[in-house]
Amino acid sequence: MLVELNKSQFHSRVDRIYSGWGSANQNEDYTSIADADALLLLAGDPAGEDEPMKKGTCFQQWLLGYEFPSTFLLFTKKKLCILCSASKAKILSQIEGSSGSIQVEIFHQAKAKDPPNDALPKFFEIYTSKKRVGILSKETHVGKLVSEWNKLVSEASGKPEMVDMSVAVSAFMAQKDQEELKTIQIASSLTSTLLKHHVGPRLETILDKESKISHEMLAAQIEGRLGSGEGSNAKGPDMKVWNKGKGLEKIDWQLVEFAYSPIIISRSTKTGYDLRYTAESTEDNIAHKGVLLVAFGMRYKSYCANVGRTYIVDPTPEQEAQYSLLLSLEAELLKFITDGVAARDVYQYALSFVKEKNPEYEKNFVKNLGFGTGVEFRDSTYLLSPKNGHILRENMTLNVGLGFSELLDKDGSKYALHIVDTIRVGKNESSLLTEGMKSTKDFLFFLTPESEDEKPKKPERKAPVQPRANGTPAKYAVAGKMLRNNRRAAQDEVHQTAAARLAEHQRELHEKLQAEGLAKYSEGGGEKGGKEGKGWKKFQSYRGEGALPPEVDRLRILVDRKALSVILPIHGFAVPFHINTIKNAVKSDEGEFTYLRINFQTPGQVAGKKEDTPFEDPDATFVRSISYRTTDGHRFDSINKQINELKRDVNKREAQKKEMADVVEQDSLIELKGRRPVKMPEAFIRPAPDGKRLPGEVEIHQNGVRYQSPMGQKVDVLFSNIKHLFFQPCDHELLVIVHMHLRSPIIVGKKKTFDVQFFREATDVQFDETGNRKRKHRYGDEDEIEMEQTERKRRQILNKEIKAFAEKIAEAASASIGEPLELDIPFRELSFEGVPFRTSVRLQPTTDCLIHLTDPPFLVVTLSEIEIASLERVQYSLKQFDLCLIFKDFTKPPLHINSIQSSSMDDVKNWLDSVDIAMAEGPVNLNWGPIMKHINESPYEFFQGGGWSFLSGTTGGAESDLSDVQDSESEFEAESDSFEESASSDDGSHFSDASGSESGSDFGEGSDSDAGDDWDELERKAAKSDQKRADIKKSRGSDDDSDDDRTKKKKAAPKANGKKPVKSKR
């Protein structure tokens, strides 16, 4: 059965109806049906999507769990009668029978092709036998069944008296049971998550960047978080938003919908500020100053939750006071609204609170404070107004909306404020169901200083001080002379503070990383780590004997390229083998015979990456090879060549198929109609399509970007596929670049790519002024200076033009996909040199990434995807170190950036720490292949065993005791020397083997082994002597070495950057 009704829920709610009906004389909410003999609920054809749900439909969903159009419910004192179609009767038959003392009887009408039956007349006869019948008098219905019913009623001689039972129906549904409260809590979580993680950040971005977007468009983008489109173009819910909410992992997204279209109102809305829920978002663009109102509600399993917030840009003190008053009023009402309080008392309490705090706002206070909510979004029976005497009960859910309207701004314009939340009525106090984003820091945006006193005055302005990334302090000087003691003391203090701060922050990051890892991969259904095992593939050469080629009758070796098989004669039978079962074929000559051996894929072979090839039954008996002998050497030459060529072609095809596996087919680009698209002319593209390299045009369309070359080639990139958008100016570069890093690769030319780049060359060879006439009348370098100035201006203009185009791409993409696409610009001052691929390049951090865009292959690393950074080959004797980035997706291989200059180490550390990336450092390169394989086998066991603590802790450990640098000088040297001894060999250093040829130069040219041994022996003795001398001085109370002592040392003191001097021969 397609639809399953909840019978226990139905029975309990039927009992609630008859219990309330039976005690109607003792309860004011049920007095309207006290004398009624029956209760009738009619339902006609389904209402339109834009129409609000009727109370009768809400009652059906509350009672039965589903909406049943064209269905009548008649409650009598002894039984429930249901009139419906034959198809609905099959579903409702689940509840047919008795429910306690209440019997359910179903009258099903005949199908359209069958003759009419007596179901409707019998149902009408029961109806007319009653004297007083309760109905929902304000509802009207349409449909075939309703028309037939109205005809019977108009022709009937005797009719029962009608009484309105709207209040009673509301009372039946008002108090929620535990299952209903859980459902409403999920609806509230959905509403709060959307507000906190999409609507709030999106509005903040719009206001901050002053983006041009209409109220209607923003409302549509908010609705798009639940999915959009139909058929093949359908998009599901935006899980990037919903995954951030609590308790939303297992909900059925087909049962989630908006209660009404989101309402966005700003000062530019032509209809003005309207606090009603019937208001609509207009086509006007959002104003970037003043008050902005947002309200939206969501349904889950038909139960509603609602939220509304106010954003104020550059608020006045009066607006801040008004907003704070609403916040404090809501907190007071939560304490006041309890079981047994009348609805009008709630309003009077709120009004008196406003009068007490600020009487002038009484006339602006809202006329009601909200209403009851549940399956019916707005239940006016429990309207919180000054005249409603209905009593609020425990476990009712209310939509509480507080606000002021018709307020006047300082320029005379009107505005309104509101705060809307869904609450649950408690026995002693009420509780919020929709939480989050209510404090002033979330909703008040200040664009200017708060007072004139805070504005900087011109005479008091000072030159900005450029902070040093490595913690080097500013210089103290008097009359132009350096104060040596002050400088040293300040430098030591700043170094200690910076190092201690970094070490503490890294310790917190490592603890957080460990906790998140344990939670993510916890036992009992957490995320699984590692790749899934390879599946066993079955290869079929032929469907049957009839498909074999006729040549097999000759029982000779045959290579069938069409079937990708090799047919071998074995004991008088033609046996086909698929090419994927064959490892290779080997031909050899021995005397007058030629041998052909065909080797098969079998378990237990050491075959590099294919050693883990799965088999259906690895314990079965396998044929490892078959050999044939012949005197016809030419034929075996031909067969051997055919087999190996077929094997090579199939492997090549499989490799191409595997490479293209993640390539997605993009939707079609929707071109702009009615106006010309924004263009960037004279642009080149990388990777370049096939053909001659010529500049083309880049156009911004409705849902993507199109590059069109003069040769007619087109490259389309959809906004939905852009993961990151970068603009790199031509400062210190030869190119000005707009770069798009994609979520899924696309095909450009014949290759797949994750990166598409548009650029212009900054240098212009067309202008060569070396032979200019001005040179005859000028002397010196005046013309060269003018050329440099012209070049600088041209670069500035080019930067400005291309950046404006990139910003238009970001703006169009944000409007199209409904979420902000930020334009990222690299910070060149934080850049450093490294080798991510084969050559040394300049790597530049951005807000969200680490990039190299100047030359292919491009590098784009998303910082949020990095788990931890490992700094390797960190030694005082080395001029370079390596950086290894391990990703949160453990199945991705770590990224190695080799040969970074040691002088950049402090900058790299400070940058990694500033973007909250945990890091560790060590003296050697680690073999990350086996490490990641071990982690992927069981991530939970890895984190349970300490996680990343095996990387020997966080950075800063060697620098934490900076005050003892001089005292521990010889200790560092002794450790370094002993390390060099253990690491050295006749063939060179193990470091160079681990890190590649790039790092071999760090050790210098090497030295004679005999001289090295003598030197090491002398160094050990010197180290012991230095340590002994340092201990004596400590006991005497002296912490610093004297100048005389320094001259007696065999080696100079370590430099500030941590490098050790290179030893010389003796």
Side-chain angles (χ1 to χ4, degrees), residues 621-641:
T621 302
F622 288 84
V623 177
R624 180 158 289 185
S625 64
I626 295 179
S627 296
Y628 292 90
R629 186 181 71 175
T630 185
T631 56
D632 188 359
H634 293 292
R635 172 169 168 75
F636 271 19
D637 279 339
S638 174
I639 291 174
N640 180 54
K641 186 178 179 182

Side-chain angles (χ1 to χ4, degrees), residues 265-306:
I265 300 176
S266 72
R267 68 193 305 177
S268 60
T269 301
K270 57 187 177 184
T271 55
Y273 289 93
D274 189 350
L275 299 183
R276 294 174 298 176
Y277 295 102
T278 54
E280 295 182 355
S281 302
T282 62
E283 297 178 354
D284 311 297
N285 284 338
I286 292 175
H288 301 124
K289 287 189 177 182
V291 176
L292 193 146
L293 305 181
V294 177
F296 59 92
M298 302 194 74
R299 290 181 182 273
Y300 180 63
K301 293 183 178 179
S302 301
Y303 285 87
C304 302
N306 192 44

Side-chain angles (χ1 to χ4, degrees), residues 752-999:
K752 76 169 186 177
T753 179
F754 276 94
D755 298 274
V756 177
Q757 183 181 103
F758 309 112
F759 68 92
R760 275 197 202 163
E761 296 176 351
T763 56
D764 197 342
V765 296
Q766 296 178 6
F767 294 94
D768 183 7
E769 300 185 2
T770 54
N772 200 316
R773 293 180 182 178
K774 295 179 181 179
R775 198 167 179 81
K776 297 179 182 179
H777 308 288
R778 295 187 179 184
Y779 302 94
D781 295 331
E782 293 181 6
D783 52 347
E784 281 81 0
I785 293 173
E786 184 178 347
M787 287 174 61
E788 289 178 4
Q789 292 175 346
T790 305
E791 174 73 14
R792 195 177 298 114
K793 287 181 181 179
R794 188 164 68 245
R795 283 174 177 263
Q796 291 174 353
I797 294 172
L798 193 59
N799 283 340
K800 185 177 180 181
E801 178 187 349
I802 305 303
K803 184 181 180 183
F805 181 78
E807 287 174 343
K808 288 178 180 177
I809 293 178
E811 185 178 331
S814 300
S816 174
I817 62 180
E819 59 186 37
L821 177 65
E822 302 290 343
L823 179 63
D824 227 348
I825 301 175
F827 303 113
R828 189 176 178 86
E829 61 272 15
L830 299 179
S831 64
F832 55 91
E833 298 278 342
V835 183
F837 303 112
R838 295 194 178 189
T839 57
S840 180
V841 298
R842 180 169 292 278
L843 302 165
Q844 303 183 83
T846 70
T847 304
D848 300 316
C849 302
L850 177 66
I851 62 170
H852 163 67
L853 308 178
T854 307
D855 301 301
F858 307 119
L859 176 70
V860 178
V861 182
T862 306
L863 300 181
S864 60
E865 296 176 357
I866 297 174
E867 174 88 356
I868 192 171
S870 175
L871 283 71
E872 302 175 349
R873 291 199 305 121
V874 179
Q875 280 295 309
Y876 293 105
S877 59
L878 302 183
K879 297 179 182 178
Q880 297 172 328
F881 71 97
D882 301 333
L883 176 63
C884 182
L885 301 177
I886 297 91
F887 297 99
K888 294 182 185 295
D889 181 4
F890 294 152
T891 60
K892 292 177 67 176
L895 173 68
H896 296 270
I897 302 174
N898 299 325
S899 304
I900 305 172
Q901 294 298 319
S902 296
S903 57
S904 303
M905 186 181 297
D906 285 341
D907 294 336
V908 171
K909 284 183 180 179
N910 288 329
W911 166 65
L912 288 171
D913 188 68
S914 67
V915 293
D916 293 337
I917 293 179
M919 54 183 165
E921 64 180 52
V924 296
N925 288 103
L926 298 176
N927 190 356
W928 283 100
I931 293 174
M932 298 310 297
K933 185 176 181 181
H934 170 72
I935 294 173
N936 279 314
E937 286 173 356
S938 179
Y940 180 71
E941 288 183 7
F942 168 72
F943 281 103
Q944 208 173 27
W948 301 108
S949 60
F950 78 93
L951 293 175
S952 70
T954 61
T955 63
E959 302 172 341
S960 60
D961 195 6
L962 292 167
S963 61
D964 296 334
V965 170
Q966 286 90 358
D967 297 336
S968 59
E969 173 189 351
S970 57
E971 294 175 12
F972 277 110
E973 291 173 1
E975 290 176 10
S976 179
D977 293 335
S978 62
F979 182 80
E980 286 179 9
E981 180 187 14
S982 64
S984 62
S985 66
D986 294 336
D987 297 332
S989 171
H990 292 296
F991 292 119
S992 60
D993 295 336
S995 59
S997 59
E998 299 289 337
S999 60

Side-chain angles (χ1 to χ4, degrees), residues 178 461 510 698:
Q178 291 303 313
R461 288 183 62 183
H510 277 261
V698 186

Side-chain angles (χ1 to χ4, degrees), residues 304-316:
C304 302
N306 192 44
V307 71
R309 294 291 184 264
T310 301
Y311 294 82
I312 311 177
V313 182
D314 204 12
T316 62

